[in-house]
Amino acid sequence: MSNLFDTLRAKINGQGKKVVFPEGLDERILTAVSQLGTEDLLTPVLVGNEEKVKQKASEVGVDISSAEILDPANYDAFDEMVANFVERRKGKATEEKAREILQDENYFGTMLVYMGKADGLVSGAAHSTADTVRPALQIIKTKPGIKKTSGVFVMVRDEEKYVFADCAININPDSQDLAEIALASADTAKLFDIDPRVAMLSFSTRGSAKSPETEKVTEALGIAKEQNSNLVIDGEFQFDAAFVPSVAEKKAPDSPLKGEANTFIFPSLEAGNIGYKIAQRLGNFDAVGPVLQGLNQPVNDLSRGCNADDVYKLAIITAAQSL
């Protein structure tokens, strides 16, 4: 795990990245911000009333002098932000409504990213996933060719690193969704210095079973190959055929994966969520994430049960995503 974050720290060091933390009064956020400032890895931007934020930091006993503090109620460029929001929402919000919406810290923080005042956002310590993701989808939106954002976990154990997706967002992705998730996950793998070898998972290997569920995965494979012919990707595979060379030799001897996949695309959220938790709890892997992917600019969602170290790590990942 330390090697993983050493690599990411090296990538963002000296890049002048700014990450927004809308939850400026949360003790865990303030503790992480203090550590980030001490290491001079990035500039934290806290959202909230400056006096209250500083008072809370004093109570917690942390130094946040390296952070910028921006208050929606007293922000110099608020009129500009309102105009940008109204334009971005294309008639779905009046100026009056925009002024009301942008008092919300997550919308305010997301607009800072959209306007280039920051490079990414980390929220969710005190908000639901919907509260974090909804502003991002409305304002930042997904990259060209991607309709939906998705969530990956990087599974780490000693020197081993694997990407599991989608384990956080899409309950029942269709074939187009799965193809998008596969392509986005390959890009995320590269962020963590993983040369992506992508397996489209199912309960069948290369037609050993036929059902709408397996055909969905096969169709997704075709779409992904068409969009990126250079990507090492194959399916549909049972996990052992994707991961164990001896099994791959028997079940899919002509596969380019050869039982050495490192990026695994699950056919549903149900499968992905169960899969990563089994690896975490029975395999003793550390699960880093969820890392949201597919957005034009990085926004990441914390668990409300997170600790300060989780915030610190996700901030580093967010800064690295913006490179």
Side-chain angles (χ1 to χ4, degrees):
M1 178 70 82
S2 61
N3 290 341
L4 176 74
F5 281 94
D6 285 345
T7 299
L8 293 178
R9 288 187 196 95
K11 286 184 177 183
I12 67 173
N13 190 35
Q15 296 297 316
K17 295 298 181 179
K18 290 186 177 184
V19 174
V20 180
F21 299 89
E23 298 155 325
L25 292 175
D26 190 284
E27 179 175 333
R28 297 161 294 178
I29 299 293
L30 293 170
T31 301
V33 161
S34 176
Q35 184 177 354
L36 290 164
T38 299
E39 297 180 5
D40 198 26
L41 287 171
L42 55 86
T43 299
V45 181
L46 292 164
V47 177
N49 176 274
E50 183 171 359
E51 183 179 344
K52 291 181 179 179
V53 170
K54 288 182 175 179
Q55 180 180 344
K56 182 66 175 180
S58 177
E59 292 171 1
V60 176
V62 295
D63 178 10
I64 59 167
S65 58
S66 65
E68 296 180 11
I69 304 174
L70 299 179
D71 184 356
N74 185 28
Y75 179 53
D76 290 343
F78 193 73
D79 288 344
E80 177 190 357
M81 181 180 285
V82 168
N84 274 276
F85 182 81
V86 171
E87 190 279 330
R88 187 62 166 166
R89 296 297 290 141
K90 298 187 184 302
K92 294 181 181 178
T94 63
E95 180 180 332
E96 181 181 2
K97 186 64 176 176
R99 290 184 179 278
E100 177 185 334
I101 291 171
L102 291 172
Q103 292 301 315
D104 178 277
E105 53 265 35
N106 279 310
Y107 274 95
F108 179 83
T110 303
M111 280 300 297
L112 290 174
V113 178
Y114 175 66
M115 294 169 64
K117 309 292 186 182
D119 299 290
L121 178 145
V122 172
S123 188
H127 290 88
S128 68
T129 295
D131 288 337
T132 300
V133 175
R134 187 184 300 111
L137 293 176
Q138 291 179 356
I139 298 166
I140 291 173
K141 302 186 179 181
T142 54
K143 294 177 180 177
I146 295 181
K147 295 180 180 178
K148 297 178 181 177
T149 188
S150 53
V152 309
F153 280 87
V154 182
M155 310 301 296
V156 183
R157 185 177 64 185
D158 298 327
E159 299 303 312
E160 296 177 86
K161 294 184 290 188
Y162 307 104
V163 171
F164 283 16
D166 176 1
C167 304
I169 303 292
N170 297 287
I171 295 174
N172 187 27
D174 61 23
S175 55
Q176 181 65 47
D177 297 334
L178 284 176
E180 291 178 5
I181 291 167
L183 295 172
S185 298
D187 287 339
T188 298
K190 293 174 186 176
L191 174 70
F192 293 93
D193 286 345
I194 299 170
D195 185 17
R197 300 174 62 82
V198 184
M200 308 293 289
L201 297 180
S202 184
F203 59 84
S204 164
T205 297
R206 292 284 189 82
S208 62
K210 287 283 187 182
S211 75
E213 290 82 6
T214 63
E215 290 171 3
K216 176 181 77 170
V217 177
T218 302
E219 184 178 344
L221 174 67
I223 295 170
K225 282 184 171 181
E226 185 177 336
Q227 294 186 15
N228 186 349
S229 60
N230 295 319
L231 181 62
V232 179
I233 182 171
D234 207 358
E236 87 282 11
F237 276 163
Q238 293 161 288
F239 184 84
D240 57 354
F243 188 68
V244 182
S246 61
V247 177
E249 180 62 30
K250 294 175 182 177
K251 292 188 174 184
D254 61 338
S255 172
L257 294 178
K258 301 187 183 304
E260 297 178 346
N262 54 32
T263 302
F264 301 95
I265 310 305
F266 291 84
S268 68
L269 179 61
E270 182 177 44
N273 192 271
I274 292 170
Y276 101 79
K277 288 183 182 293
I278 288 175
Q280 181 184 36
R281 300 301 179 180
L282 293 184
N284 293 317
F285 277 84
D286 288 313
V288 179
V291 179
L292 299 187
Q293 58 186 16
L295 293 166
N296 280 308
Q297 293 158 288
V299 168
N300 279 308
D301 178 43
L302 293 158
S303 164
R304 277 175 281 183
C306 69
N307 58 35
D309 190 53
D310 296 328
V311 179
Y312 168 82
K313 289 175 179 175
L314 197 56
I316 290 172
I317 291 170
T318 303
Q321 283 181 292
S322 72
L323 292 171

